[in-house]
């Protein structure tokens, strides 16, 4: 299982890298579950990561197709391997599909960037779709993976959903050809549980920080979490939907070629 550490800036990115994080995720924890960082901060984080690990970026919760396309395009101009899009406030599966398609179209030109749709375990509080329906939307719109998170951060994931329900959600994601990530106030003991439930990725912020979720990422805490996450096999990401031939691609492939592709994207911008 791979360990994703959410960072708010380049110093935290360095700490996460030195601690052994498998994926570096850029987000601003002061602005909710998927608060995006500024483009300047995202560029600084990318420079700090320097291609050593895949970089993902939270682009917030979808509000309109135009806003989604703009937010995704902005992240792509800096260069990321994954964009995470939430659906808080979206209760119609048809509308969720349109928003996801807008995001998917924005990432298609980048070739190495993949879309991850975020489901909220506390979906009534987020006025969002139930997690199972987000899996269906992700599969229908060609996303690479899904993340089960919490929107309010008042109660951790396993305080909202039972392990059996999370295991069923992970299995449904895998059956749909998606990778499955878990997050939402997870701490050390939760990582073994997430691993046992078949999660491909576990995302952590608060447990990796000194001073809680809005504190600073600690190298030592990341290292301890990395040990608890178990082995970190290459995450295989399906890319065969749409214009590309059906096959799997390892995250290492994405990292190995993203500089060339993203340079070309920036040159066209």
């Amino acid at each position: 299982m791979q360990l994703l550490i959410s960072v708010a800036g380049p110093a935290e990115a360095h700490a996460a890298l030195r601690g052994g994080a498998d994926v570096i995720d850029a987000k601003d924890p002061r602005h909710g579950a998927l608060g995006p960082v500024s483009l300047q901060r995202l560029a600084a984080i990318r420079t700090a990561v320097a291609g050593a690990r895949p970089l993902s970026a939270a682009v917030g919760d979808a509000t309109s197709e135009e806003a989604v396309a703009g937010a995704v395009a902005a992240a792509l101009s800096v260069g990321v391997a994954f964009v995470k899009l939430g659906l808080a406030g979206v209760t119609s599966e048809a509308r969720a599909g349109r928003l996801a398609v807008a995001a998917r179209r924005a990432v298609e030109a980048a070739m190495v960037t993949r879309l991850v749709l975020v489901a909220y375990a506390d979906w009534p509080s987020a006025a969002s779709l139930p997690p199972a329906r987000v899996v269906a939307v992700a599969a229908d719109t060609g996303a690479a993976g899904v993340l089960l998170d919490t929107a309010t951060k008042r109660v951790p994931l396993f305080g909202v959903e039972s392990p059996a329900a999370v295991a069923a959600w992970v299995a449904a994601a895998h059956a749909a050809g998606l990778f499955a990530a878990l997050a939402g106030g997870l701490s050390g003991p939760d990582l073994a549980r997430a691993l046992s439930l078949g999660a491909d990725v576990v995302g952590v912020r608060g447990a990796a920080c000194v001073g809680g979720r809005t504190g600073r990422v600690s190298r030592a805490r990341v290292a301890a979490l990395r040990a608890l996450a178990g082995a970190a096999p290459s995450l295989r990401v399906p890319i065969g939907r749409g214009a590309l031939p059906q096959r799997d691609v390892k995250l290492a492939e994405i990292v190995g070629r993203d500089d060339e592709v993203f340079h070309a994207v920036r040159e066209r911008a």
Side-chain angles (χ1 to χ4, degrees):
M1 183 174 68
Q2 297 208 338
L3 176 66
L4 177 151
I5 298 294
S6 292
V7 304
E12 291 191 342
H14 282 301
L17 285 170
R18 292 195 298 270
D22 302 299
V23 182
I24 307 299
D25 174 58
K27 76 174 183 182
D28 188 339
R30 299 170 301 176
H31 298 292
L34 294 175
V37 299
S38 69
L39 285 184
Q40 294 81 2
R41 185 61 61 89
L42 180 58
I45 293 171
R46 175 166 165 73
T47 297
V49 174
R53 297 290 188 274
L55 175 63
S56 72
V59 295
D61 287 294
T63 55
S64 70
E65 293 170 61
E66 294 77 12
V68 165
V72 171
L76 296 185
S77 72
V78 173
V80 296
F82 296 94
V83 290
K84 300 187 312 183
L85 177 68
L87 296 169
V90 180
T91 57
S92 161
E93 194 167 326
R95 180 168 178 249
R98 291 192 297 271
L99 293 164
V101 166
R104 170 66 194 278
R105 286 174 177 165
V107 304
E108 281 179 344
M111 301 291 287
V112 296
T113 302
R114 301 289 164 253
L115 172 64
V116 179
L117 289 188
V118 180
Y120 294 118
D122 51 350
W123 58 274
S125 298
S128 185
L129 290 169
R133 302 316 304 157
V134 175
V135 170
V137 171
D140 289 344
T141 56
V146 284
L147 166 65
L148 184 59
D149 201 347
T150 55
T152 64
K153 303 305 175 186
R154 290 193 292 267
V155 181
L157 175 63
F158 289 112
V160 179
E161 288 282 14
S162 70
V166 174
W169 183 87
V170 169
H174 289 163
L178 305 164
F179 70 80
L182 301 179
L186 301 181
S187 59
D190 296 319
L191 270 62
R193 178 178 291 171
L195 179 63
S196 72
L197 299 181
D200 302 296
V201 181
V202 61
V204 179
R205 170 71 193 178
C209 291
V210 174
R213 188 169 179 271
T214 57
R216 59 176 178 81
V217 171
S218 158
R219 172 186 177 179
R221 292 191 177 207
V222 173
L225 292 166
R226 174 62 270 165
L228 290 170
S234 293
L235 175 63
R236 302 191 69 83
V237 180
I239 64 171
R241 296 166 181 155
L244 297 174
Q246 180 65 46
R247 70 182 187 92
D248 286 340
V249 62
K250 293 184 179 181
L251 288 186
E253 293 181 54
I254 293 174
V255 174
R257 62 184 178 174
D258 69 351
D259 284 330
E260 177 183 350
V261 175
F262 287 128
H263 176 74
V265 171
R266 287 194 295 270
E267 287 296 308
R268 291 197 299 268

